[in-house]
Amino acid sequence: MSERSLTVDVAVIGGGIVGLGIAWAVAHSGRTVVVIDPDPAGGATYAAAGMLAAVSELHYREEALLELMLASSSLYPAFIESLGVDSDATGYQRTRTMNVGAESADRQALADLRSVQLTNGLSVEPLTIRAARMLEPLLSPRVSGAFMVEQDHQVDPRRLAERIQLALAALAGNGGWGHDALIRVNATGLAHEDSADASSRVTGVALADGSTVRATEVVVANGLGAAGLSGLPQRLSLPLRPVYGDILRLRVPAHLQPVLTCTLRGLVHGVPVYLVPRSDGTLVIGATQREDGSSAVSAGAVYQLLRDAQVLVPAVNELELIEMTARARPGTPDNAPLLGRVGRTGAESDTDDIPGLIIATGFFRHGVLLTPIAAQYCLQLIQEITVDRWRSFRPDRFSASRAPASASPTGARS
């Protein structure tokens, strides 16, 4: 079947980890699906460290987002199992996370955060430096404080994305879909039942090659590109901004393996840095956070990350630097995702949502962590299952037709 005559149950625009996860949940439910992306897993997913850190990533006044993160974290084992591979194939490890402070002010900041974490029912255990170094012998003896988080784990986003693509391809081939699960073409816009009315039912996706994929449901999950699609409802505001992060990958020589056994998240003079050990003998160090519009990795960023990482683990100085990467993550005004259906222009209730359209973008620093819950929720919407729990993350909460102040899931602004 040619792309010009392709008809599927669900078309997913965007092949990052969130879009792929949604596509897999849809396909696993017995529906046909296609992912539209010229470079699947080549954006933020390619750079992501893959920390599943719902506890450690808690930020002040983001309690609603915490609930979403915890729910997604709990879904991860079943999500990995659904792919029919062992955990090693995706890099999913239920290893712990240790939060450490380089100096007294950093230790106090982590202790203050722990108070907030405890208030929200989370478990964070303080460690003596001696106990921390017994667990991680290469940790610097000069760190000032350490806290253990048993609940925060990790996954390798590149390997996970690859496995999802393989699983989708297998389903397409074995299920007699008659089409590939992936179209490597840019999506340019949404097709509507009434081409003159962007609030009418969405019926498909227009592609850059001039063809159209027809679909009963369209999921917009292409990150920063979502707001640039044609055919979006006229008054819909998707306030996405690019937040760049620089990340390094290093190879650990045999005599230093394992350099770490758990993920290390640190504060060094108030600046966050993390070190994530991979099972393949590499170490991921990240990540800066900047909004300067530059997609290049700067020498200053590399210096900062290596300098701060060596403060916590001096042996970093002996590792081989093998990769420097920068990618942009889609941020929103409240740092929470844009997830769900969209109301028609002037709609006052969810009963008047635009049929056939779901949006899943704006995941910022939590895209990998939130993939299972985004996949589950989008499938529930497709199945017409009512779930009020995540209504505060509606993608139209910043639009003129809704009241953004009451709908915003968090009070945080960046």
Side-chain angles (χ1 to χ4, degrees), residues 87 202 279:
S87 296
V202 172
S279 59

Side-chain angles (χ1 to χ4, degrees), residues 12 18-28 31 33-35 164 168 177 375:
V12 179
V18 172
L20 288 171
I22 293 168
W24 171 246
V26 168
H28 197 56
R31 294 166 171 81
V33 66
V34 68
V35 178
I164 295 176
L168 286 170
W177 289 3

Side-chain angles (χ1 to χ4, degrees), residues 3 6 34-38 180-186 207 213:
E3 292 171 9
L6 179 59
V34 68
V35 178
I36 303 166
D37 194 313
D180 291 335
L182 179 66
I183 297 178
R184 293 178 178 267
V185 178
N186 267 317
L207 305 183
V213 174

Side-chain angles (χ1 to χ4, degrees), residues 53-77:
V55 177
S56 299
E57 283 281 352
L58 173 63
H59 283 61
Y60 299 105
R61 301 173 65 189
E62 292 189 2
E63 286 77 7
L65 184 55
L66 171 64
E67 184 182 2
L68 189 72
M69 292 192 297
L70 290 172
S72 195
S73 182
S74 70
L75 293 174
Y76 243 99

Side-chain angles (χ1 to χ4, degrees), residues 44-306:
T45 298
Y46 185 79
M51 292 179 295
L52 308 178
V55 177
S56 299
E57 283 281 352
L58 173 63
H59 283 61
Y60 299 105
R61 301 173 65 189
E62 292 189 2
E63 286 77 7
L65 184 55
L66 171 64
E67 184 182 2
L68 189 72
M69 292 192 297
L70 290 172
S72 195
S73 182
S74 70
L75 293 174
Y76 243 99
F79 182 75
I80 297 297
E81 185 179 354
S82 73
L83 293 168
V85 297
D86 58 31
S87 296
D88 289 342
T90 61
Y92 178 62
Q93 300 181 55
R94 303 192 72 171
T95 50
R96 302 172 293 186
T97 293
M98 186 185 296
N99 298 329
V100 298
E103 58 183 13
S104 58
D106 298 323
R107 181 188 67 239
Q108 187 58 53
L110 291 174
D112 291 344
L113 176 60
R114 178 175 181 258
S115 297
V116 178
Q117 291 164 328
L118 293 178
T119 300
N120 284 276
L122 306 175
S123 178
V124 180
E125 296 301 323
L127 298 174
T128 65
I129 304 305
R130 180 179 179 182
R133 296 194 71 231
M134 288 183 66
L135 294 170
E136 297 295 346
L138 295 182
L139 183 67
S140 170
R142 304 178 73 174
V143 298
S144 64
F147 301 84
M148 182 62 76
V149 182
E150 298 280 350
Q151 195 172 345
D152 287 352
H153 310 306
Q154 66 154 298
V155 72
D156 187 332
R158 295 182 185 179
R159 292 164 68 183
L160 176 58
E162 180 183 11
R163 286 296 169 177
I164 295 176
Q165 291 179 72
L166 291 172
L168 286 170
L171 266 185
N174 298 332
W177 289 3
H179 66 84
D180 291 335
L182 179 66
I183 297 178
R184 293 178 178 267
V185 178
N186 267 317
T188 58
L190 306 178
H192 288 266
E193 190 173 57
D194 180 350
S195 59
D197 182 5
S199 292
S200 65
R201 175 183 289 276
V202 172
T203 58
V205 182
L207 305 183
D209 63 4
S211 64
T212 299
V213 174
R214 295 186 294 272
T216 305
E217 295 277 1
V218 173
V219 182
V220 176
N222 57 332
L224 290 163
L229 292 170
S230 65
L232 291 172
Q234 185 175 2
R235 296 178 66 186
L236 176 65
S237 175
L238 300 178
L240 298 165
R241 71 188 195 281
V243 183
Y244 285 88
D246 306 284
I247 196 163
L248 311 177
R249 284 174 169 80
L250 300 91
R251 182 173 292 115
V252 182
H255 73 279
L256 287 176
Q257 292 187 21
V259 68
L260 290 170
T261 62
C262 70
T263 296
L264 196 69
R265 296 175 61 98
L267 281 179
V268 180
H269 308 303
V271 178
V273 63
Y274 56 74
L275 297 83
V276 185
R278 294 278 194 249
S279 59
D280 62 359
T282 60
L283 181 73
V284 179
I285 300 178
T288 59
Q289 187 169 302
R290 51 186 175 79
E291 300 187 41
D292 57 6
S294 174
S295 60
V297 180
S298 70
V302 175
Y303 170 75
Q304 174 192 320
L305 290 172
L306 291 177

Side-chain angles (χ1 to χ4, degrees), residues 324-379:
M324 301 172 290
T325 309
R327 291 292 189 274
R329 297 157 293 183
T332 64
D334 57 12
N335 296 332
L338 307 173
L339 181 62
R341 293 202 182 272
V342 176
R344 298 180 192 272
T345 301
E348 296 298 331
S349 71
D350 297 352
T351 60
D352 199 23
D353 288 337
I354 297 173
L357 176 61
I358 297 171
I359 291 178
T361 186
F363 288 86
F364 190 23
R365 60 184 182 268
H366 303 304
V368 178
L369 169 59
L370 293 178
T371 291
I373 194 66
Q376 181 191 74
Y377 185 45
C378 288
L379 180 58

